[in-house]
Amino acid sequence: METHEQAEEPETTRWTTATVFPDMWTDPDDDPRETDTPVTDERGMLLDYLRYYRLTLEMKCAGLDAEQLARRSAPPSGMSLLGLVRHLADGERHLRRVLAGEDVPPLYRTDEDRDGDWNGAVADPAVVDDAWRRWHTEMAATDRYLDGVTDLASWNTGVSDLGPEGGDLQVRDGLLGHVVEYARHCGHADLLRERVDGRVGQ
């Protein structure tokens, strides 16, 4: 009977640029996520967390080429860092579709390929450039929408597909869910990046 031994994957050396705290991504003085601006209210806190996690995703992708960004580095998952960027660009549109009722269909997901954001994340510099451009464009559009929201207790004007019954929700709930989605995927990005080149850090 023929047997096949699973090939061992080469070990990746763990590393960080931090010199103060060795489990951090970079030193506190060099970390753009950290600011001295006090947050004193609910709106400011939610928006600050959103800013923080958006920056975290961008930092986790820094310094990688197209092949590394597209690499499915934590099999059997089909996730990649490039897929995360594409997925979260669509997430920005989803938020505005639900909360603001904007007519913004998904960028990558289709009826034929419901995982198009992940499946289309291929090692092509043009695909990478497009993903970054779309993500930044969608974030800016979301920020413009949120700038115009004066009451977090106001209700969504789009059709909600959130929750088991797709019930309506307040803007605060939609925004908090958006922050949670980023935080969840930044955890994925931690593992994906470490598997790509060994870089670690919060």
Side-chain angles (χ1 to χ4, degrees):
M1 180 177 177
E2 187 177 356
T3 61
H4 298 277
E5 293 186 4
Q6 185 174 358
E8 291 187 9
E9 297 183 16
E11 289 188 13
T12 303
T13 301
R14 303 176 86 236
W15 64 280
T16 176
T17 65
T19 60
V20 179
F21 303 108
D23 62 338
M24 299 300 289
W25 184 259
T26 190
D27 288 330
D29 289 345
D30 300 324
D31 193 334
R33 297 170 297 183
E34 303 298 335
T35 70
D36 295 326
T37 304
V39 178
T40 59
D41 62 356
E42 178 189 19
R43 177 191 179 89
M45 182 175 294
L46 288 170
L47 293 178
D48 194 57
Y49 271 111
L50 180 57
R51 178 196 63 82
Y52 183 97
Y53 286 122
R54 283 170 168 173
L55 270 172
T56 297
L57 178 64
E58 195 154 15
M59 292 167 71
K60 290 291 176 176
C61 296
L64 300 180
D65 60 26
E67 185 280 324
Q68 291 171 314
L69 287 169
R71 189 183 302 172
R72 274 67 171 170
S73 59
S77 170
M79 284 187 175
S80 65
L81 289 166
L82 178 58
L84 285 177
V85 175
R86 288 161 56 95
H87 179 71
L88 289 166
D90 261 337
E92 300 282 349
R93 289 169 79 89
H94 178 264
L95 180 75
R96 302 196 314 276
R97 244 187 345 266
V98 171
L99 293 185
E102 291 186 18
D103 183 13
V104 283
L107 292 168
Y108 305 110
R109 181 177 175 174
T110 65
D111 290 339
E112 294 75 28
D113 186 0
R114 295 177 62 82
D115 290 322
D117 41 3
W118 307 104
N119 296 335
V122 296
D124 180 339
V127 173
V128 173
D129 291 344
D130 176 75
W132 286 120
R133 178 183 60 79
R134 289 180 184 270
W135 184 54
H136 284 284
T137 297
E138 298 306 327
M139 286 191 295
T142 296
D143 291 345
R144 286 193 298 272
Y145 159 69
L146 292 172
D147 286 345
V149 173
T150 58
D151 183 6
L152 294 180
S154 59
W155 295 91
N156 65 299
T157 57
V159 177
S160 173
D161 58 358
L162 302 175
E165 299 177 359
D168 291 337
L169 70 163
Q170 292 182 331
V171 171
R172 62 163 48 89
D173 296 322
L175 181 52
L176 178 59
H178 194 51
V179 171
V180 169
E181 178 78 351
Y182 265 94
R184 174 173 173 260
H185 285 310
C186 282
H188 294 137
D190 285 342
L191 297 176
L192 291 166
R193 178 61 190 254
E194 184 175 354
R195 294 280 291 173
V196 168
D197 73 344
R199 187 167 182 181
V200 297
Q202 298 169 350

